């Protein structure tokens, strides 16, 4: 290959002063993402640091509609982090109100992103966040699943997530007896 | 992890993992979420299907952090607690028992004896525990691994400054700044337990009444517990009697003058609601004008009196 290699982050190109990376979803679509945003993914960070790939980073485990959401999350959080870093009063205690408000806003944004997803889309996003190692996104999405399960009985959980009850009657009875103190039935 | 479904060799890129809806098996994402579930939901998941039962039982990491909250708090006994903590296989790190009245000193000591690496022990309002019993437990942890760095004790009966002295001396001080920082007092007794708070201990002796009370960072330098010093609901600053007389609220909370001035007032009696009670506003107009409940009720009773004539 005649292309220059050896430079860190060969997949990173500059766009309007910001270094970008190219990602390819499992269904062949190309996406662009700022390098700062890509740093939120431990996996991508390692790929970029390791010299990257000239024609973009293929992500066979992540479909286009999921990758879109991943990029939205990473860009939003990277911008928020940059904003708080460049805040001159960030070191002083007086701005702790601002940082508290800013992080509350970010949490609200996360919740909105996650609440707008169908169950399938949510699950795909969890798998992608795990694969790409994006802790914040994994947290936000898994918390949504936890909320969906809150207060539900095992049968209700089965209905919500389309799970088959493959226990025998004896097994079910044994399950009921263990930790019976925790439930009403 | 569930393996992705195999596809026939083709030039098309491999499809994303098929959703498990058709097979009746729990989706991979559910297994990844197990670590985020509260205890009650984790126990419920266990009963859903074999795959989830095995995932819950087979991962000791899931059990290294245990938080017992309502409604489980009222049900959990010493035996039940021991059963749960056994799953950590001796590596329990975080133990949060929030308002568990049926857990005794002996029961908690047994758990700690089998899990000496506990770094965080939160037992607020566990009325089955005593100050003496807790000191013994903290002493045990100190003697064995000395890893205990955060405790929450508010609401434990008969805690005196002697107990507190012993406990403070046994606690592993994780950072210097905790010593230098003066301890202030919790101005919001209603606040839900804040697990992010880095302080090693949540109580101290009030210099005014000499009782052991919950403490918290506050803006104000005056030191005194919730009962001894009136504090602003919003900023935590202390409020003197004169200011209290001038900053009346429609709810029963306290505000300092600065915070009082910032809030919208009832258009009849000129008293505001604090932020926590702002949903009690009646006749709320788009411009923000409102009437407080008391004035609204008074107006209604006047109307019904007039109708009687």
């Amino acid at each position: 290959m005649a292309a220059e290699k050896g430079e860190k982050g060969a997949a990173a190109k500059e766009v309007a002063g910001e270094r970008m990376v190219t990602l390819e979803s499992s269904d062949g679509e190309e996406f662009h993402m700022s390098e700062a945003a890509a740093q939120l993914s431990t996996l991508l960070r390692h790929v970029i640091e390791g010299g990257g790939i000239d024609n973009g980073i293929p992500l066979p485990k992540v479909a286009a509609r999921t990758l879109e959401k991943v990029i939205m999350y990473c860009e939003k959080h990277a911008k928020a982090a940059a904003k708080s870093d460049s805040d001159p009063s960030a070191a002083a205690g007086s701005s702790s109100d601002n940082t508290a408000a800013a992080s509350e806003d970010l949490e609200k944004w996360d919740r909105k992103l996650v609440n707008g997803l169908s169950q399938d889309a949510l699950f795909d996003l969890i798998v992608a966040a795990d694969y790409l190692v994006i802790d914040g996104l994994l947290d936000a999405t898994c918390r949504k699943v936890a909320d969906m399960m809150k207060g539900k009985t095992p049968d209700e959980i089965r209905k919500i997530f389309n799970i088959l009850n493959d226990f025998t009657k004896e097994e079910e009875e044994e399950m009921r007896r263990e930790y019976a103190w925790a439930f009403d039935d | 992890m569930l393996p992705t479904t195999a596809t026939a060799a083709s030039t098309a890129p491999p499809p994303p993992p098929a959703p498990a809806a058709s097979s009746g098996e729990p989706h991979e994402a559910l297994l990844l979420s197990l670590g985020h579930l509260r205890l009650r939901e984790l126990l419920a998941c266990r009963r859903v299907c074999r795959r989830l039962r095995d995932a819950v039982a087979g991962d000791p990491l899931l059990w290294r952090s245990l938080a017992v909250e309502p409604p489980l708090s009222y049900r959990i006994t010493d035996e039940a607690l021991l059963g749960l903590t056994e799953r950590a296989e001796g590596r329990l790190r975080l133990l949060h028992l929030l308002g568990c009245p049926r857990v005794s000193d002996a029961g908690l000591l047994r758990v700690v004896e089998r899990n000496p690496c506990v770094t965080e022990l939160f037992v607020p309002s566990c009325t089955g525990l005593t100050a003496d019993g807790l000191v013994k437990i903290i002493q045990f942890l100190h003697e064995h691994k000395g890893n205990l760095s955060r405790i929450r004790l508010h609401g434990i009966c008969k805690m005196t400054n002697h107990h507190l002295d012993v406990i403070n001396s046994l606690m592993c001080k994780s950072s210097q700044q905790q010593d230098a920082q003066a301890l202030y007092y919790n101005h919001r007794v209603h606040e839900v337990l804040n697990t992010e708070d880095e302080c090693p201990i949540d109580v101290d002796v009030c210099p005014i009444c000499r009782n052991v009370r919950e403490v918290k960072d506050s803006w104000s330098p005056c030191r005194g517990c919730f009962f001894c010093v009136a504090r602003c609901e919003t900023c935590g600053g202390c409020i003197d009697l004169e200011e209290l007389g001038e900053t009346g609220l429609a709810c029963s909370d306290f505000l300092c003058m600065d915070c009082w001035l910032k809030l919208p007032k009832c258009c009849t009696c000129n008293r505001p609601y604090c932020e926590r009670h702002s949903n009690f506003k009646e006749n709320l107009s788009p411009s923000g004008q409102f009437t407080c409940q008391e004035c609204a009720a008074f107006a209604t009773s006047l109307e019904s009196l007039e109708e009687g004539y």
Side-chain angles (χ1 to χ4, degrees):
Chain A
M1 291 273 299
E4 293 96 63
K5 289 194 189 173
E7 245 192 54
K8 231 190 339 177
K13 298 172 176 122
E14 293 230 9
V15 170
E18 224 188 343
R19 289 164 68 79
M20 305 293 282
V21 296
T22 309
L23 306 169
E24 200 183 310
S25 70
S26 60
D27 30 5
E29 244 185 270
E30 251 189 27
F31 289 86
H32 301 288
M33 182 180 191
S34 71
E35 202 181 292
Q39 297 284 326
L40 265 80
S41 153
T42 308
L43 183 86
L44 291 179
R45 195 171 64 223
H46 289 159
V47 168
I48 294 170
E49 281 172 5
I53 294 158
D54 291 339
N55 298 319
I57 305 170
L59 299 174
K61 271 192 93 170
V62 189
R65 67 152 187 189
T66 310
L67 190 50
E68 197 175 31
K69 295 281 186 295
V70 168
I71 291 172
M72 261 175 78
Y73 176 90
C74 293
E75 294 284 9
K76 176 78 180 177
H77 280 247
K79 274 200 187 69
K83 207 170 176 189
S84 71
D85 279 345
S86 65
D87 182 359
S89 60
S94 58
S95 75
S96 64
D97 270 350
N98 293 334
T99 45
S103 77
E104 215 183 286
D105 282 341
L106 203 54
E107 267 177 44
K108 272 201 193 115
W109 188 92
D110 286 353
R111 270 200 300 272
K112 203 169 166 206
L113 172 72
V114 152
N115 285 338
L117 300 172
S118 68
Q119 197 182 114
D120 280 347
L122 178 64
F123 281 178
D124 288 343
L125 195 53
I126 289 176
V127 172
D130 176 64
Y131 168 63
L132 293 168
V133 194
I134 308 173
D135 287 340
L137 183 56
L138 190 59
D139 258 352
T141 44
C142 288
R143 241 181 279 136
K144 172 70 181 172
V145 171
D147 284 342
M148 284 165 80
M149 287 207 218
K150 194 170 182 190
K152 301 282 188 289
T153 64
D155 207 36
E156 285 167 338
I157 294 174
R158 283 187 206 112
K159 285 204 176 64
I160 296 173
F161 299 113
N162 289 313
I163 301 173
L164 203 58
N165 179 1
D166 55 357
F167 288 127
T168 63
K169 278 274 176 288
E170 292 79 33
E171 279 174 326
E172 243 190 306
E173 185 49 39
E174 196 190 314
M175 297 268 101
R176 227 182 47 73
R177 269 186 282 115
E178 273 189 278
Y179 305 119
W181 60 268
F183 298 100
D184 281 327
D185 54 18
Chain B
M1 300 295 138
L2 291 175
T4 53
T5 48
T7 54
S10 67
T11 49
S22 44
S23 69
E25 285 283 294
H27 196 285
E28 185 186 345
L30 277 180
L31 301 174
L32 290 170
S33 304
L34 288 178
H36 286 77
L37 296 183
R38 276 161 277 239
L39 179 62
R40 198 210 150 275
E41 276 72 54
L42 202 58
L43 295 178
C45 265
R46 211 182 131 265
R47 291 162 70 173
V48 166
C49 67
R50 286 185 179 158
R51 188 85 176 81
L52 283 174
R53 175 197 62 187
D54 296 342
V56 167
D59 188 0
L61 282 181
L62 280 178
W63 299 97
R64 281 177 52 168
S65 167
L66 187 65
V68 183
E69 307 158 289
L72 296 182
S73 304
Y74 317 118
R75 300 167 182 248
I76 195 166
T77 59
D78 286 341
E79 308 326 307
L81 179 62
L82 194 63
L84 285 174
T85 53
E86 305 236 281
R87 291 184 168 273
E89 298 177 354
R91 293 204 199 87
L92 185 65
R93 290 273 178 283
L94 274 57
L95 182 56
H96 294 192
L97 302 173
L98 311 183
C100 302
R102 298 168 77 179
V103 174
S104 71
D105 290 334
L108 186 56
L109 182 61
R110 218 169 17 162
V111 168
V112 148
E113 279 167 351
R114 294 175 197 206
N115 295 277
C117 299
V118 167
T119 61
E120 220 172 83
L121 183 63
F122 287 13
V123 290
S125 305
C126 287
T127 49
L129 301 176
T130 65
D132 285 338
L134 260 177
V135 167
K136 239 194 258 174
I137 286 162
I138 294 171
Q139 201 141 31
F140 176 89
L141 285 171
H142 175 78
E143 281 163 14
H144 283 78
K145 292 278 180 170
N147 279 345
L148 189 61
S149 60
R150 289 209 297 168
I151 51 175
R152 297 290 176 264
L153 308 172
H154 66 271
I156 298 293
C157 315
K158 304 217 181 113
M159 185 79 65
T160 65
N161 48 340
H162 297 296
H163 293 112
L164 213 51
D165 283 339
V166 176
I167 291 172
N168 278 322
S169 68
L170 294 172
M171 289 292 294
C172 142
K173 295 273 189 284
S174 50
S175 65
Q176 294 293 52
Q177 68 194 77
Q178 304 298 356
D179 295 321
Q181 207 176 53
L183 291 172
Y184 300 125
Y185 293 83
N186 182 17
H187 62 280
R188 287 197 194 169
V189 281
H190 316 282
E191 227 171 66
V192 173
L193 185 67
N194 175 13
T195 51
E196 306 299 318
D197 184 353
E198 286 301 313
C199 294
I201 189 170
D202 61 338
V203 296
D204 197 6
V205 179
C206 171
I208 300 172
C209 65
R210 308 305 303 172
N211 286 309
V212 174
R213 299 265 191 243
E214 195 176 355
V215 313
K216 208 193 153 173
D217 283 349
S218 161
W219 293 106
S220 163
C222 15
R223 304 187 63 200
C225 70
F226 172 79
F227 299 99
C228 295
V229 174
R231 287 193 188 275
C232 175
E233 175 70 26
T234 306
C235 70
C238 59
I239 315 171
D240 61 39
L241 280 176
E242 216 180 286
E243 216 177 344
L244 263 181
E246 289 168 20
T247 55
L249 275 94
C251 53
S252 54
D253 291 299
F254 303 138
L255 285 178
C256 67
M257 183 59 81
D258 284 341
C259 295
W260 187 90
L261 286 170
K262 289 182 192 150
L263 291 172
K265 317 279 190 297
C266 166
C267 50
T268 308
C269 66
N270 200 42
R271 294 176 308 168
Y273 276 115
C274 73
E275 271 157 38
R276 242 176 1 105
H277 294 115
S278 60
N279 54 319
F280 289 160
K281 291 178 187 164
E282 305 236 354
N283 310 321
L284 186 62
S285 76
S287 58
Q289 280 202 316
F290 70 95
T291 319
C292 74
Q293 280 190 337
E294 229 182 278
C295 294
F298 187 61
T300 321
S301 68
L302 275 182
E303 274 168 23
S304 55
L305 268 179
E306 281 163 16
E307 275 164 28
Y309 283 104

